[in-house]
Amino acid sequence: MAGELILIIEDNEKNRKLVRDVLQVKGHKTIESETAEEGLKLAIEKSPNLILMDIQLPGMDGIAALKQLKAEAKTKSIPVIAVTASAMTYNRQTMLADGFDGYHGKPISVKDFLGEIERVLASHAS
């Protein structure tokens, strides 16, 4: 799968650039936000195929943002992958129980990261 629009919600510029570069090399289109609040607006306006959500964001955190995405008719069906360095606080089971469609820890392993993206996109393909 290539050509999908993926929204990256990540406040760290280096992490955002790495994810953007990896996705664009694989043929995906990307849009980006540094905050959950801005990301929510972009999700409603652009209807991305997938959202990559950092958990620890300034202002609203990724879990609160996910709840808003799932409560909004226009965005509730968009799959969301949690991408977090908080391996101790948040584990895969917690993230999936909170409603995320996938989970990947930081620092990202490019091969595993792309595998998780492809898995989630494939499971939500229409």
Side-chain angles (χ1 to χ4, degrees):
M1 297 181 138
E4 288 88 352
L5 180 62
I6 300 177
L7 170 57
I8 304 162
I9 304 176
E10 166 64 67
D11 62 322
N12 181 291
E13 187 178 341
K14 287 181 181 167
N15 290 341
R16 221 174 30 251
K17 180 183 182 336
L18 172 63
V19 169
R20 173 190 344 130
D21 292 350
V22 165
L23 292 172
Q24 289 179 357
V25 162
K26 288 296 180 181
H28 298 293
K29 295 177 280 226
T30 60
I31 49 177
E32 301 168 30
S33 168
E34 291 182 34
T35 67
E37 292 85 352
E38 183 188 348
L40 291 169
K41 288 180 193 159
L42 281 171
I44 290 168
E45 291 169 15
K46 305 289 183 184
S47 295
N49 301 96
L50 176 68
I51 299 172
L52 301 176
M53 177 83 70
D54 187 16
I55 300 304
Q56 294 183 311
L57 293 163
M60 180 189 307
D61 71 23
I63 294 170
L66 175 75
K67 289 184 167 101
Q68 288 199 21
L69 286 166
K70 297 301 180 185
E72 170 68 41
K74 194 157 185 204
T75 57
K76 70 180 178 187
S77 64
I78 301 171
V80 183
I81 296 176
V83 183
T84 181
S86 316
M88 295 304 183
T89 313
Y90 304 106
N91 63 35
R92 184 179 193 89
Q93 285 70 33
T94 305
M95 295 284 103
L96 298 176
D98 280 338
F100 286 93
D101 298 278
Y103 170 88
H104 195 80
K106 294 180 199 170
I108 69 168
S109 151
V110 172
K111 183 179 175 197
D112 293 343
F113 179 65
L114 288 170
E116 183 72 349
I117 287 171
E118 296 305 322
R119 181 192 69 76
V120 171
L121 284 171
S123 70
H124 286 81
S126 25

